Amino acid sequence: MIKPTYSWVDQQINDLKKRGLYRHLRTIESGPASTVEIEGKEMLIASSNNYLGLAADQRLIMEASKVVQQFGVGSTGSRLTTGNSTWHEKLEKRIAAFKKEEAAIVFSSGYLANVGVISALAQDGDVILSDELNHASLIDGCRLSKANTMVYRHVDMNDLKKKLQLARNAQNKFIVTDSVFSMDGNLAPLPEIKELADQYNAFIIVDDAHATGVLGENGRGSTEHFHVEVDITIGTFSKAIGTEGGFAAGSFPIIELLRNKARSFIFQTALPPGSVAAAIKSIDIIEQEKSLIHSLRANIEKLQKQLAEIGFVTMPTPTPIIPVLIGEAQKTVAFSKQLEREGIFAPAIRPPTVPEGKSRIRLTVMASHTDKHIQQVSQAFYTTGKNMGVI
Ligand SMILES: *Cc1c(COP(=O)(O)O)cnc(C)c1O
């Protein structure tokens, strides 16, 4: 069938291309190791969220295969209909224990957890206070909620305090923040946020996507790192845990309410049991094998140090996210292409993921990177940086 032309679509696509914001998919032709085959070329991955390398761990693969044999490849329904298996319930208990919370609820992704939790809890008459650099899924949760959203300046506690003051008469107040900001790698100041929340009688919802399995002595996340308590922690299994799915953890009644009200929980097919079983195994490994987190931390320090030595300005953070700011979108794309020629895969991050003029290469470190890998990354950054006049 011949389709008509849609000139408004062509126009928008051309506009994206002109602004250096056009996106296209890249094809990975091998499993999630530190080096992968991309479109026929072997490349070192320096941008994966598979921080602990668990996505390709044989123990997880064996566990998932075993459960797939018994439970099939699809869950066949939402959690409240035919999709709830023993594995889903085990994972909820496991993640609650890992996070040291009373209860947890598993969603099919972190995105769906954020959208579901915020829109279910924050009601008409409530106020959400949201950090301006929060992840898109938190922003979408705020948009779906009937509450009024006030955006405060990035990690700016004076601005948060001002806005809490303005919102003081609201029914409920929710402070919503990434714990580790996904494109900058910096941390939200949770102890200060907690103090303000207590002072203004607000609840805290933290997105621990990049902190779970990474921060804290046992990898439990931001609350372990800062030794503070929050009301609800949201997270994902798709980053350090290496599988897929999302969760929220908190008190029994809050989780009970979410099971009854979160639309992205109710109207979504449950995760396949094999993947759920792999997530449980992964959490077991993270708790038992401290060496994984230790290798990750050592690699973070090495790469930060090497990049600083060759003249790149990076923020010293305890997270595996190391953004290298380039600025203009087109220039960042060119930088990324040159890195590819050097055998390093780290795509350009551009608006609307980051603000205009703040395009960057978002480097991430993995526990499974060897010293040679880390050196390869900094060598490629040196060559590219010199070529493009960035350093
Ligand atoms: C990746 C990410 C999510 C979404 O998690 P998925 O499981 O990939 O849907 C949510 N919040 C933050 C901060 C993230 O980085």
Side-chain angles (χ1 to χ4, degrees):
M1 201 181 93
I2 299 172
K3 292 280 190 188
T5 51
Y6 303 100
S7 57
W8 54 278
V9 173
D10 297 342
Q11 215 171 10
Q12 288 186 32
I13 290 174
N14 284 334
D15 181 53
L16 288 173
K17 285 185 175 161
K18 253 192 289 179
R19 292 162 58 208
L21 299 180
Y22 184 77
R23 294 163 189 244
H24 65 274
L25 293 164
R26 302 301 303 274
T27 314
I28 318 278
E29 292 150 341
S30 63
S34 323
T35 56
V36 295
E37 182 120 338
I38 301 177
E39 290 146 15
K41 189 175 173 201
E42 168 141 327
M43 276 196 260
L44 175 60
I45 292 270
S47 48
S48 165
N49 293 324
N50 181 23
Y51 301 129
L52 299 175
L54 287 165
D57 188 280
Q58 278 309 315
R59 293 163 290 183
L60 270 65
I61 293 171
M62 293 297 289
E63 181 72 1
S65 315
K66 191 186 83 192
V67 174
V68 165
Q69 291 293 333
Q70 293 167 357
F71 281 75
V73 289
S75 70
T76 80
S78 72
R79 293 284 305 284
L80 291 163
T81 59
T82 58
N84 188 41
S85 74
T86 45
W87 293 103
H88 295 86
E89 291 180 7
K90 270 190 209 166
L91 178 57
E92 285 177 340
K93 291 211 171 70
R94 190 68 189 84
I95 194 74
F98 182 58
K99 286 286 188 184
K100 301 255 183 254
E101 292 284 358
E102 279 178 20
I105 176 172
V106 168
F107 291 77
S108 294
S109 75
Y111 184 99
L112 291 166
N114 277 337
V115 163
V117 169
I118 297 172
S119 62
L121 297 182
Q123 305 284 299
D124 195 13
D126 294 345
V127 169
I128 303 169
L129 300 113
S130 171
D131 187 291
E132 69 176 328
L133 292 190
N134 274 347
H135 189 263
S137 55
L138 290 171
I139 295 171
D140 291 355
C142 296
R143 286 176 179 164
L144 273 177
S145 153
K146 296 210 171 63
N148 178 19
T149 300
M150 297 171 96
V151 176
Y152 63 90
R153 282 200 296 272
H154 181 50
V155 300
D156 183 335
M157 293 299 102
N158 287 329
D159 198 34
L160 175 58
K161 189 179 165 90
K162 241 185 263 165
K163 295 202 157 118
L164 278 165
Q165 182 70 22
L166 286 173
R168 68 189 176 280
N169 294 325
Q171 186 177 262
N172 282 327
K173 296 166 279 289
F174 298 92
I175 302 171
V176 173
T177 184
D178 282 18
S179 56
V180 173
F181 288 89
S182 54
M183 295 301 136
D184 294 79
N186 61 322
L187 305 185
L190 284 191
E192 285 90 337
I193 290 176
K194 174 74 177 156
E195 222 167 274
L196 286 175
D198 288 346
Q199 193 181 339
Y200 286 91
N201 209 8
F203 304 106
I204 304 176
I205 302 178
V206 159
D207 180 351
D208 241 6
H210 297 279
T212 305
V214 172
L215 291 186
E217 197 183 330
N218 301 289
R220 297 190 208 286
S222 59
T223 51
E224 187 181 36
H225 176 85
F226 284 117
H227 307 284
V228 292
E229 281 195 23
V230 300
D231 297 285
I232 298 149
T233 304
I234 303 175
T236 175
F237 300 110
S238 69
K239 309 257 154 85
I241 289 173
T243 63
E244 62 181 55
F247 66 86
S251 74
F252 279 119
I254 283 187
I255 301 306
E256 190 181 9
L257 184 64
L258 289 174
R259 268 202 297 274
N260 283 274
K261 281 193 67 189
R263 291 168 65 84
S264 59
F265 175 79
I266 300 170
F267 299 105
Q268 233 275 328
T269 297
L271 287 169
S275 173
V276 173
I280 297 171
K281 178 65 84 185
S282 179
I283 297 167
D284 291 346
I285 292 172
I286 291 170
E287 263 191 350
Q288 285 155 18
E289 276 176 32
K290 293 283 146 42
S291 60
L292 278 177
I293 291 178
H294 294 158
S295 309
L296 179 64
R297 287 187 187 149
N299 280 348
I300 294 168
E301 277 177 27
K302 275 179 217 156
L303 186 56
Q304 280 173 345
K305 185 162 167 275
Q306 289 180 23
L307 287 172
E309 275 167 10
I310 57 177
F312 284 96
V313 185
T314 61
M315 269 188 308
T317 78
T319 76
I321 301 166
I322 307 177
V324 179
L325 202 70
I326 307 293
E328 214 234 324
Q330 256 121 350
K331 191 171 181 186
T332 313
V333 173
F335 197 101
S336 167
K337 281 203 177 125
Q338 164 94 38
L339 284 177
E340 257 188 48
R341 283 193 286 273
E342 307 283 330
I344 308 293
F345 189 65
I349 308 287
R350 296 164 283 169
T353 313
V354 291
E356 206 71 52
K358 293 202 166 172
S359 291
R360 66 198 67 179
I361 304 292
R362 174 184 177 275
L363 280 178
T364 61
V365 181
M366 291 169 67
S368 52
H369 282 145
T370 61
D371 282 352
K372 193 159 157 256
H373 288 148
I374 305 270
Q375 260 154 23
Q376 241 173 293
V377 175
S378 34
Q379 182 59 48
F381 264 78
Y382 182 74
T383 311
T384 309
K386 283 283 179 213
N387 265 345
M388 295 192 55
V390 176
I391 47 168

